[in-house]
Amino acid sequence: MKDKVIHMYMEDYKRWLEADLEDPALTQELKAIAGDEEQIKERFAVALKFGTAGLRGVLGAGSNRMNIYVVRQATQGLANWVKTQGGNQLVAISYDSRINSDVFAKTAACVLAANGIHVRIYDALMPVPALSFATRYYGANAGVMITASHNPAKYNGYKAYGPDGCQMTDDAAAVVYAEIQKTDILTGAKLVSFEEGMSQGLIQYVGDDCKEALYDAIKSRSVRPGLCKTAGLKLVYSPLNGSGLVPVTRVLHDIGIDDITIVPEQQYPDGNFPTCPYPNPEIFEALKLGLELAKSSGADLMLATDPDADRVGIAIRCPDGSYELVSGNEVGVLLLDYICQGRIEKGTMPKNPVAVKSIVSTPLADAVAAHYGVEMRNVLTGFKWIGDQIARLEADGEVDRFIFGFEESYGYLAGPYVRDKDAIIGSMLICEMAAYYRSIGSSIKERLEAIYAQYGRYLNKVDSFEFPGLSGMDKMASIMESLRTNPPKEIGGYAVTKVTDYKKPEETGLPAANVLIYALEGGATVVVRPSGTEPKIKTYFTTLGKDLAEAEAQKAKLAEALKPILA
């Protein structure tokens, strides 16, 4: 059997090597690995799997890499599904600044057009929320976003969206994947040139009407309209060489924030991300240049959006002039608090308001929601589940009840106009919140401390354990299985009082998911889940102490106890 598998991937390698590939760089790469069985196996032994997050992989040659042939095959599978859906027979496409993102976006458009499917593609890079919006605006059957989010520069990806602007459902993704598997990777996709698709009227650019409608929808969610024009907020912003520059600065200027200094080294699109290995606003290294600029310019606030501008990280100026990074959980709580307080004050809070967060996000948000009389719904990780709650409200004619949704990984949404996280509205509301506290002689830092004083000192931290290589997924599965068959009785000296296994929907009331949550004596919780997009197991710790030191000490003890289990 092993010899047969080796024979298959060596045959695939030879077929690619002998094919007249359109991209000479792929042929050069294949020639360079001749005789290196491990490198050949890495590229051809498996194919990138299409799931609800679409595809994501390292750029290069082979079925286990991101290249035009993998994109064509995936898009033919998508086209086969779209053709069964009726409706407008239209797909919206956007892309970020990553290497080959524009090439892959146009490649997808060419395959769709060859299948008689209409395409609306952005004429320049635009972020995830713009794709979700265009999908809904044009009544599309699907959307495609070419991005690998915050992965290192050598990655790219292909995210597929359903007609509601949410990432594709499991059922639809399974059908698309089955169609992909029926499509020969080198020859199976239909294809026309981009120019031919445009001349036939099958490929069109997204219109200015759609772009302006997105900006209007975002600005309509302002809590205190007009406030920023007079607040004198001083901002440093970094798009991290991604797609956020144009939409974020456009909306901020429109609401009256004009003192914006862009981090020059990270201003323009560059898929090599030369200033940081991970263009991720969760990571200090990505924000380092922005923080230095904030300190030298005395900015009130520093913002950074990731390459596909669906997540935003911030650093705030403290009373002593230093700057402090604010976690995704803390920003989520601050925004929820600001929106609730402001909308109640302005009389714009809907009846029976609803907020939504992921199960791994801080329970402090539940306490804040309860204080303001807001229903907090907890859903599985993945913003599509927040989108699903918005869709349910919409189906009941109650979409206006939704006021805010967030994930601890820096993703926020404050309106139903899109169904994915949106760093444009996140940036707008963070700036408005900072401007408001500045206008009343306070600050974001002071408000955060007041929240902790009121509800208790919550600490939320995430650790990751990486499992690279082809055996990584098997090792992760084995660890999760072991945790289920031999559940820990205690972690770090704290007794486990309850285990919630999200693979048991009959117990949780949510769809099945590979997540374990341990409730511990004293109120702390530990969540263990494999990442959906990377070979990692993530552990989420929530501790609650009388002060930060006590909460941090408990987190350290819990993390140390888990290391031998997850290493």
Side-chain angles (χ1 to χ4, degrees):
M1 182 66 189
K2 186 181 175 189
D3 288 346
K4 187 180 177 185
V5 171
I6 292 171
H7 179 71
M8 282 176 67
Y9 67 70
M10 290 304 291
E11 283 295 311
D12 285 344
Y13 166 69
K14 279 171 65 180
R15 184 176 172 230
W16 277 62
L17 189 60
E18 291 164 7
D20 184 17
L21 299 182
E22 290 165 48
D23 185 346
L26 298 181
T27 302
Q28 285 174 359
E29 181 184 339
L30 293 170
K31 285 178 178 174
I33 61 169
D36 188 335
E37 192 186 312
E38 201 53 43
Q39 288 293 331
I40 293 168
K41 181 181 178 185
E42 185 68 30
R43 285 163 177 77
F44 290 96
V46 295
L48 290 179
K49 191 171 188 314
F50 187 97
T52 54
L55 303 165
R56 192 176 294 188
V58 174
L59 291 156
S63 56
N64 193 33
R65 293 286 187 269
M66 281 296 297
N67 52 66
I68 57 171
Y69 299 100
V70 166
V71 169
R72 285 176 185 174
Q73 183 190 39
T75 308
Q76 186 62 53
L78 179 69
N80 293 352
W81 174 76
V82 167
K83 285 189 273 192
T84 67
Q85 297 301 298
N88 282 347
Q89 293 292 285
L90 185 148
V91 175
I93 300 177
S94 187
Y95 56 96
D96 68 4
S97 62
R98 285 185 173 272
I99 297 164
N100 285 344
S101 278
D102 55 343
V103 175
F104 294 162
K106 286 190 170 182
T107 298
C110 293
V111 173
L112 291 163
N115 282 274
I117 294 166
H118 288 264
V119 172
R120 284 284 189 163
I121 183 169
Y122 279 96
D123 57 0
L125 72 169
M126 281 290 275
V128 158
L131 183 277
S132 179
F133 187 84
T135 302
R136 295 173 58 77
Y137 185 84
Y138 288 113
N141 296 81
V144 172
M145 179 75 199
I146 305 295
T147 179
S149 189
H150 55 277
N151 280 52
K154 65 181 181 178
Y155 283 82
N156 211 331
Y158 181 111
K159 285 169 78 170
Y161 287 74
D164 57 356
C166 267
Q167 282 190 48
M168 192 167 265
T169 63
D170 291 344
D171 291 345
V175 174
V176 172
Y177 183 52
E179 293 296 328
I180 289 169
Q181 290 180 299
K182 294 177 197 170
T183 304
D184 185 277
I185 193 166
L186 294 180
T187 62
K190 295 179 181 177
L191 204 62
V192 295
S193 72
F194 193 80
E195 293 70 24
E196 193 181 340
M198 290 200 80
S199 68
Q200 291 175 1
L202 284 164
I203 299 175
Q204 292 176 278
Y205 288 120
V206 169
D208 287 343
D209 55 336
C210 177
K211 296 175 188 174
E212 291 302 318
L214 169 63
Y215 295 141
D216 289 344
I218 290 169
K219 289 180 287 187
S220 75
R221 304 303 293 191
S222 170
V223 177
R224 292 183 169 90
L227 173 82
C228 292
K229 287 183 169 66
T230 56
L233 189 75
K234 192 175 178 65
L235 174 69
V236 166
Y237 168 56
S238 172
L240 294 179
N241 301 116
S243 62
L245 178 65
V246 171
V248 170
T249 56
R250 161 67 194 270
V251 167
L252 294 184
H253 283 305
D254 282 359
I255 65 165
I257 296 174
D258 293 316
D259 192 347
I260 305 173
T261 304
I262 312 293
V263 178
E265 301 91 335
Q266 298 172 337
Q267 180 167 357
Y268 296 112
D270 185 345
N272 293 298
F273 307 117
T275 62
C276 51
Y278 284 86
N280 184 349
E282 292 179 80
I283 295 171
F284 173 77
E285 196 170 353
L287 305 187
K288 190 163 172 280
L289 289 171
L291 282 167
E292 288 169 2
L293 194 52
K295 285 171 188 167
S296 65
S297 64
D300 299 293
L301 184 65
M302 186 248 157
L303 293 179
T305 53
D306 64 347
D308 57 347
D310 60 355
R311 302 183 313 128
V312 55
I314 74 167
I316 54 174
R317 190 178 180 194
C318 299
D320 65 359
S322 66
Y323 287 83
E324 182 179 304
L325 298 180
V326 189
S327 74
N329 273 313
E330 289 174 325
V331 173
V333 166
L334 282 160
L335 285 173
L336 175 66
D337 173 71
Y338 173 73
I339 290 166
C340 291
Q341 180 196 51
R343 292 188 73 163
I344 289 168
E345 177 196 312
K346 294 288 184 184
T348 56
M349 181 69 99
K351 195 177 175 190
N352 303 319
V354 172
V356 191
K357 71 175 179 70
S358 63
I359 55 175
V360 298
S361 299
T362 180
L364 175 54
D366 298 79
V368 171
H371 173 76
Y372 288 109
V374 172
E375 177 191 346
M376 177 60 80
R377 297 182 182 180
N378 287 277
V379 296
L380 296 177
T381 304
F383 220 86
K384 69 177 181 179
W385 297 114
I386 295 175
D388 177 62
Q389 289 298 320
I390 301 171
R392 292 182 187 204
L393 291 168
E394 189 171 53
D396 293 336
E398 298 180 335
V399 76
D400 289 340
R401 288 177 62 196
F402 173 74
I403 61 165
F404 186 59
F406 83 98
E407 289 187 319
E408 49 72 43
S409 54
Y410 293 60
Y412 318 105
L413 179 63
Y417 58 94
V418 297
R419 302 297 157 86
D420 209 336
K421 46 195 179 284
D422 177 6
I424 313 171
I425 198 167
S427 299
M428 181 189 84
L429 288 173
I430 289 164
C431 287
E432 187 185 294
M433 174 172 68
Y436 170 69
Y437 292 129
R438 192 177 193 277
S439 73
I440 60 170
S442 183
S443 66
I444 289 178
K445 172 69 173 171
E446 286 179 55
R447 183 60 198 159
L448 182 60
E449 292 306 322
I451 287 170
Y452 282 136
Q454 183 173 349
Y455 300 99
R457 190 52 173 94
Y458 286 77
L459 177 72
N460 304 93
K461 291 287 182 184
V462 185
D463 290 348
S464 292
F465 295 83
E466 294 198 24
F467 300 88
L470 291 173
S471 62
M473 291 309 214
D474 292 338
K475 182 85 192 292
M476 287 161 61
S478 164
I479 289 169
M480 295 303 291
E481 180 58 31
S482 174
L483 284 169
R484 286 188 166 93
T485 51
N486 302 298
K489 300 277 191 297
E490 56 87 29
I491 301 174
Y494 296 88
V496 175
T497 57
K498 185 183 179 188
V499 181
T500 306
D501 185 349
Y502 282 81
K503 273 202 168 178
K504 298 176 179 175
E506 67 278 7
E507 292 180 16
T508 66
L510 295 174
N514 195 6
V515 180
L516 292 163
I517 297 186
Y518 302 94
L520 305 180
E521 193 175 28
T525 58
V526 177
V527 182
V528 182
R529 64 173 278 270
S531 166
T533 55
E534 299 168 280
K536 290 178 179 179
I537 289 180
K538 292 186 172 185
T539 50
Y540 303 77
F541 301 92
T542 296
T543 53
L544 178 58
K546 63 177 184 293
D547 55 28
L548 181 59
E550 186 176 85
E552 283 180 334
Q554 187 182 22
K555 185 268 165 184
K557 196 182 279 190
L558 296 175
E560 196 58 37
L562 278 179
K563 267 184 193 169
I565 300 171
L566 298 174

